[in-house]
Amino acid sequence: MSNKLVNDLIDAGIHFGHRSSRWNPKMAPYIFGKRRLIHIIDVKETLKGLLRAKRFVAMVVADGKDVLFVGTKRQARRAVETVAQETGMHYVSDRWLGGALTNFRTIRSRLGRLDELERLTEPEAASQFSKKLLSSYRRELRKIKRNLEGIRRMENLPGVLVLVDQRRENIAIKEAKKLGIPTICLLDTDSDPELVDIPIPGNDDAMRAIELIFGEIGKAITEGKAGRGDRDGEHSDAGEMAVRRRSQRAVLARADSVAEAPVEAPASAGEPVGETSAETPASAETPASA
């Protein structure tokens, strides 16, 4: 992990948590300290979580599975859509529809309706409908497209979910847990890390921080795609995780089973990463987390 990425993350305010009065005690292992009633996240723990996530995503993608990005909060939408489109993966950025995973067959049928509405609203077909009916079709088309455009090409259940903010995306995490789909989540100090398989502790309200984290996961997807076809038979148990539940410890163990890479501290430091980060000015988006 390069020093440049570490410094970029700190500059983006990845280390700023919520007010100490809003914290979840289960996040204690990931918190470095407290400054002016605001918890400071240990950036070393952020990097460890990011490394595990990248290794695991690369393995899953190399085994032929897809990634579903979920980020419906305003700060995460652009990052989610950008990395999903650049890597050819799937995303949900507007609203998570209940049953998107557990009732996947019904969701697929709604995508059929989306195709039908697009045909009906084309100029050559629209001329045969009244203005009122055509307006109704277009409203329905906008609504379905807003909710389902990102999973339009998702033929099968994903191999892993990558989310922003465990509290906001709680329904998606529960559905993934029920189906045994591993979850990776960027979560703040008010979240429960035990509900996800690979937690990445960090500021989930800073747009720049989210973009950096998702950009790194996007690189892991590209690496995994390059390995497709060369790893037949290797890590075949990764596919089983979409069918039956693995414990968080098992997922972390698989991520760590790939060659270990040391986590580097910022080059400037003699002092701990968290202490250094506390003195760094936050980005423009950072105050939203406080």
Side-chain angles (χ1 to χ4, degrees):
M1 192 70 68
S2 70
N3 284 335
K4 182 180 184 304
L5 175 62
V6 176
N7 291 325
D8 287 346
L9 286 171
I10 293 174
D11 289 341
I14 193 71
H15 55 295
F16 286 100
H18 284 288
R19 289 187 178 275
S20 56
S21 59
R22 295 178 54 189
W23 81 311
N24 187 321
K26 293 180 181 179
M27 286 293 292
Y30 307 109
I31 295 176
F32 176 79
K34 183 167 60 175
R35 285 292 177 87
R36 298 175 184 174
L37 302 181
I38 299 216
H39 274 134
I40 303 300
I41 297 169
D42 191 340
V43 181
K44 288 183 179 179
E45 295 297 328
T46 304
L47 296 177
K48 288 178 184 177
L50 180 57
L51 283 170
R52 291 189 182 111
K54 290 180 65 175
R55 292 171 189 152
F56 187 74
V57 166
M59 285 192 294
V60 169
V61 174
D63 284 335
K65 299 291 184 179
D66 286 342
V67 177
L68 175 59
F69 292 95
V70 182
T72 60
K73 65 196 305 180
R74 177 183 55 82
Q75 299 94 320
R77 288 175 184 170
R78 184 175 67 180
V80 164
E81 293 174 4
T82 299
V83 71
Q85 291 167 0
E86 288 177 349
T87 57
M89 293 299 169
H90 319 290
Y91 67 90
V92 175
S93 62
D94 187 77
R95 182 171 72 91
W96 179 267
L97 296 178
L101 296 178
T102 53
N103 199 13
F104 185 62
R105 184 174 299 177
T106 301
I107 296 297
R108 289 295 305 168
S109 69
R110 294 300 292 165
L111 290 173
R113 176 61 174 167
L114 174 59
D115 294 334
E116 180 185 2
L117 287 170
E118 285 185 334
R119 289 194 301 271
L120 293 175
T121 53
E122 289 177 353
E124 56 271 19
S127 58
Q128 57 185 303
F129 302 115
S130 66
K131 289 184 178 180
K132 182 177 180 180
L133 184 58
L134 186 59
S135 177
S136 175
Y137 284 157
R138 284 173 175 163
R139 280 197 304 271
E140 185 181 358
L141 174 62
R142 285 194 298 269
K143 181 178 179 181
I144 298 177
K145 201 167 185 178
R146 185 173 62 247
N147 292 328
L148 301 180
E149 179 67 20
I151 59 173
R152 190 170 188 171
R153 297 176 296 100
M154 193 169 73
E155 301 289 340
N156 300 299
L157 290 174
V160 60
L161 259 66
V162 181
L163 313 99
V164 179
D165 193 343
Q166 172 266 317
R167 287 166 58 88
R168 187 181 181 93
E169 311 302 344
N170 194 41
I171 296 175
I173 291 173
K174 286 181 179 178
E175 289 191 28
K177 184 176 181 180
K178 185 174 182 179
L179 295 174
I181 300 174
T183 53
I184 297 169
C185 188
L186 174 64
L187 38 73
D188 216 319
T189 54
D190 62 342
S191 302
D192 184 352
E194 294 182 0
L195 295 180
V196 299
D197 294 298
I198 301 181
I200 304 177
N203 186 347
D204 59 16
D205 289 310
M207 294 175 65
R208 180 60 182 153
I210 296 171
E211 289 172 358
L212 288 169
I213 294 293
F214 274 46
E216 288 299 308
I217 293 176
K219 293 177 183 177
I221 293 174
T222 302
E223 177 187 337
K225 281 187 172 182
R228 283 182 177 178
D230 298 331
R231 298 175 57 184
D232 292 339
E234 280 189 40
H235 306 294
S236 59
D237 56 334
E240 299 175 16
M241 300 192 69
V243 180
R244 59 190 176 88
R245 177 67 177 164
R246 296 291 185 89
S247 69
Q248 180 182 19
R249 182 174 298 176
V251 174
L252 293 176
R254 291 195 61 235
D256 288 334
S257 66
V258 184
E260 290 289 341
V263 176
E264 300 180 8
S268 61
E271 43 185 61
V273 175
E275 185 71 27
T276 304
S277 65
E279 301 297 332
T280 305
S283 63
E285 302 89 28
T286 301
S289 177

